[in-house]
Amino acid sequence: NIVSIVEYGSCEREKIPFMVMEYARGKSLKDYIVDGDDLSYVQKTLVLRQIADALSAIHAREICHRDIKPANILIASDGHARVSDLGLVKQLGDEATACTTTGMVPGTFEYMSPEQLSGSAPVDQRSDLYSLGVTFYELLTGERPHGVWVPPSQINPGVPATFDQVLSNLLSRDPATRAQCV
């Protein structure tokens, strides 16, 4: 459930890093959300499971994606979800700070975990799980959670209440009480 990297390296003359990924035909999850395409709750659950499987594989290699968001999830016409954009991955346990050399925190602000935003704790797999929670919440409600979020089943009675518990585990602001793995 991960888009394959075909080649990577840096241009010899300018020393600019590059990454070539396979072409993945389909639509991003962001497009589904923005266009209002209706996925059933079964389809949404399958998308969540496939993203979680991809993150499990990434985390098993001790890598943190750092930019899980709907735009980086591709959905093929058969409904198969794949994680893309591995340009911000970080080796877990790397003592380097979460910031880049320019002092910028990599990722997309709206999907970052609290510790990723503040730099208060190491960024690890739990940060990706928080971002997965934000992504799933947005898939269910069309909105991103802010501060104290409203359970999706209260916004839309058709949302299974079990999703509220899944999100509660993923969206904990404290990484110690957040889901530790998928």
Side-chain angles (χ1 to χ4, degrees):
N1 297 329
I2 303 167
V3 173
S4 297
I5 297 172
V6 177
E7 186 175 354
Y8 64 93
S10 63
C11 298
E12 289 181 29
R13 183 182 280 167
E14 292 87 14
K15 301 293 184 203
I16 298 171
F18 70 88
M19 182 183 329
V20 179
M21 293 186 286
E22 71 174 297
Y23 175 72
R25 184 174 302 225
K27 230 168 116 166
S28 75
L29 189 56
K30 178 182 179 180
D31 292 335
Y32 276 92
I33 293 167
V34 169
D35 295 345
D37 287 350
D38 196 28
L39 296 171
S40 71
Y41 290 116
V42 170
Q43 290 170 309
K44 291 175 182 180
T45 302
L46 289 173
V47 166
L48 175 69
R49 181 72 252 167
Q50 291 170 14
I51 299 167
D53 287 346
L55 287 176
S56 181
I58 290 169
H59 296 160
R61 288 167 179 78
E62 298 191 7
I63 296 171
C64 183
H65 186 282
R66 298 196 301 177
D67 201 21
I68 295 296
K69 62 184 178 181
N72 289 341
I73 308 300
L74 303 177
I75 311 293
S77 56
D78 66 359
H80 187 80
R82 297 172 74 187
V83 172
S84 69
D85 195 355
L86 302 168
L88 296 179
V89 297
K90 174 186 180 287
Q91 186 72 40
L92 293 173
D94 184 351
E95 296 304 319
T97 65
C99 297
T100 62
T101 55
T102 61
M104 300 292 294
V105 176
T108 303
F109 175 77
E110 296 87 356
Y111 299 91
M112 287 182 180
S113 65
E115 65 274 13
Q116 191 174 2
L117 280 169
S118 69
S120 62
V123 173
D124 61 20
Q125 71 275 5
R126 296 171 297 179
S127 295
D128 283 346
L129 297 180
Y130 184 89
S131 300
L132 175 62
V134 175
T135 298
F136 192 50
Y137 189 93
E138 187 173 7
L139 178 60
L140 292 173
T141 66
E143 301 174 5
R144 288 182 294 275
H146 299 288
V148 178
W149 51 275
V150 177
S153 66
Q154 291 180 17
I155 296 171
N156 179 351
V159 174
T162 55
F163 288 170
D164 297 344
Q165 184 59 46
V166 169
L167 287 166
S168 178
N169 289 331
L170 293 172
L171 293 174
S172 173
R173 299 194 60 76
D174 179 1
T177 61
R178 188 178 309 142
Q180 303 297 299
C181 62
V182 287

